[in-house]
Amino acid sequence: MRIQPVADEFAHLDEFEELIGPARTRRMHECARLLRERLDGGVLWHVNSTAAGGGVAEMLHTLVPLYRSLGVRAGWMVVGGDEEFFTVTKRLGAGLYGSPGDGGPLGARERAAYLRALAGNAEPARALVGPRDVLVLHDHQTAGLAELLHDAVSATYWRCHVGVDEPNAAADRAWGFLSPLLDRARGLVYSVRRHAPDDPRVAVIPPFLSPFSEKNRALTPEEARACLAHCGLGEARGTDSGPAGGGSAFEHPARVVADGLPQPGEPLLVQVSRWDLLKDMHGVLAAFAEHTDSGHLALVGPDPGGIPDDVEQKVWFDRCLAVREALPAAQRCRATLVCLSMADLAENAVLVNGIQRSADVVLQKSLAEGFGLTVTEAMWKSKPVVASAVGGIREQITHGHDGLLIPDATDLAGFGALMGAAVAAGPQLAPLGARAHERVLNDYLPDVDVVRTAALLGAG
Ligand code: UDP
């Protein structure tokens, strides 16, 4: 277990308050005051399994500084584990998504390995926490700490960011593993109501994005162009202030697999995701190649070598490589794969930002989705999103109103047709993009977390 260093202050509080207006601002501060009273000097700790990559880490980089700026003591701890631990947690994660994962067991041996690794985290954590502290344990990697640390703090809550729309045997098995470990948790928090078990402790708190982060802040056209150029999706152009002669403004090279640049004026379709079975990047590629005849596709994900607890990413990236390699040349040159370095998170974030903002259409063809922050990010940028109606995506998007959904996530022809329609509609989709932005402004900004967490902790 290690403490993840984060800023002591949310650098954009004033701008944020301006964005959400006086009524929401007052409410946020009032809830923070109630939380301070409830904690009575204790710390609100968030615990997860990675400092970078994935939606939870993304949120915590904003949430912890925001709480601190509002006067609530807050911290972030990251659990570690051995290979066996991550094999088990990967299996559990797949299971919670209703997928068999690697098909391996989740029996007594796996339970012992899981708890052994978490006990190794609980021991140093005991030296960090106090009896007034509250632990918010994120996802299956940390759930066992509810059992192991309940006596060291005033309360533990489990926050689950994954889930499956129709529970199946794999999901039941994963839940059967975790649920006894959560008996002592005071609350079970889900992003999406339909993913939650029937339990009186359940509460719903949606994830959010930070409008001023490198991932979401407004970019100048030059910045956006530099992002595209760095990712092999546009011409590098020197400026007086920037690097001249086609050099990149970014320090860490991206791995780009491409047969040339998109044609001038060719619409750009983008999916940004981890390389993962359930993100179905290879399905997007197949749907695009087989069922569309215009536009350029960019599949963008983290460098598979850069995320230590996610050994499977290389497998799914390689699958995309193979699918792309097998395409006829005319289709292959319309598809670019981009692996972004995770060595510098700010650089990675601004690249994702630039690519999302440069896209004409943003895609998210997940087979299952806890919430889908990439969708929120694209909606914030007023982009038309073409996605599958799964998990949190269908909470966020109302088809035809603020995005476009296919009902069946496995329907390649349907997804291709929707991509084609979105490209053909072009600027006609601007009002839909504007409504998408409005949706995020109303429902998916971080003040919502403060208000709902106050209610969760019974503050006030
Ligand atoms: N992300 C990133 N760099 C990448 C790929 C993804 O920063 O190369 C971010 C993405 O912008 C989003 C998060 O990782 O903020 C993914 O969150 P989401 O809820 O979409 O999916 P998860 O990976 O948590 O299943």
Side-chain angles (χ1 to χ4, degrees), residues 11-354:
H12 304 278
L13 193 58
D14 293 347
E15 286 161 274
F16 181 56
E17 292 180 349
E18 206 168 298
L19 185 67
I20 61 176
R24 273 170 74 173
T25 296
R26 270 195 304 279
R27 181 113 200 268
M28 175 175 74
H29 281 278
E30 172 61 9
C31 289
R33 187 184 66 73
L34 295 170
L35 274 171
R36 277 198 304 275
E37 278 175 25
R38 156 71 181 82
L39 289 163
D40 192 20
V43 179
L44 179 62
W45 288 103
H46 287 270
V47 188
N48 82 328
S49 67
T50 175
V56 178
E58 184 74 22
M59 276 171 44
L60 294 183
H61 278 289
T62 295
L63 203 54
V64 175
L66 176 63
Y67 276 110
R68 289 175 176 176
S69 280
L70 297 173
V72 178
R73 296 184 68 203
W76 178 0
M77 290 188 272
V78 179
V79 299
D82 52 15
E83 209 182 311
E84 207 179 355
F85 173 73
F86 285 115
T87 303
V88 174
T89 58
K90 200 75 200 157
R91 209 171 280 161
L92 281 170
L96 290 174
Y97 274 122
S99 153
D102 67 357
L106 282 176
R109 195 190 137 92
E110 289 70 31
R111 189 185 152 88
Y114 174 83
L115 285 175
R116 192 167 51 242
L118 284 184
N121 286 282
E123 202 185 301
R126 280 180 181 278
L128 299 171
V129 300
R132 291 179 182 159
D133 293 2
V134 166
L135 294 180
V136 181
L137 306 167
H138 290 267
D139 282 336
H140 44 285
Q141 298 94 339
T142 68
L145 293 173
E147 181 67 28
L148 294 165
L149 286 174
H150 75 94
D151 59 331
V153 291
S154 93
T156 62
Y157 294 84
W158 186 55
R159 189 156 173 182
C160 180
H161 298 267
V162 298
V164 62
D165 295 346
E166 309 295 338
N168 59 10
D172 289 347
R173 186 177 80 135
W175 180 237
F177 184 104
L178 291 171
S179 119
L181 301 172
L182 292 166
D183 283 347
R184 297 181 196 265
R186 193 167 296 172
L188 308 176
V189 182
Y190 283 76
S191 301
V192 173
R193 166 77 57 188
R194 75 166 70 83
H195 292 167
D198 187 12
D199 187 305
R201 296 173 295 170
V202 166
V204 174
I205 305 184
F208 61 83
L209 59 70
S210 175
F212 310 105
S213 64
E214 289 299 301
K215 179 75 56 72
N216 297 307
R217 70 174 171 88
L219 297 179
T220 63
E222 290 73 31
E223 284 180 306
R225 265 201 300 275
C227 292
L228 277 191
H230 184 74
C231 297
L233 295 165
E235 300 276 5
R237 298 187 214 170
T239 62
D240 288 347
S241 53
S248 175
F250 300 99
E251 199 180 323
H252 301 278
R255 175 177 175 195
V256 178
V257 181
D259 293 0
L261 295 171
Q263 299 301 306
E266 195 176 32
L268 180 64
L269 298 91
V270 169
Q271 177 162 315
V272 178
S273 287
R274 290 181 289 110
W275 306 98
D276 187 284
L277 165 71
L278 296 172
K279 303 294 183 187
D280 202 22
M281 297 279 242
H282 51 284
V284 175
L285 186 51
F288 180 78
E290 285 163 31
H291 300 287
T292 73
D293 51 19
S294 63
H296 190 100
L297 173 70
L299 297 176
V300 182
D303 173 4
I307 315 264
D309 79 341
D310 206 346
V311 284
E312 271 184 37
Q313 293 220 48
K314 188 170 176 328
V315 173
W316 295 108
F317 174 69
D318 287 349
R319 169 75 85 89
C320 288
L321 273 180
V323 171
R324 186 180 176 282
E325 219 30 61
L327 293 176
Q331 301 299 344
R332 197 169 57 234
C333 70
R334 295 170 59 220
T336 299
L337 309 183
V338 182
C339 293
L340 298 176
S341 166
M342 297 299 284
D344 178 337
L345 291 181
E347 188 170 299
N348 176 276
V350 82
L351 286 165
V352 170
N353 188 349

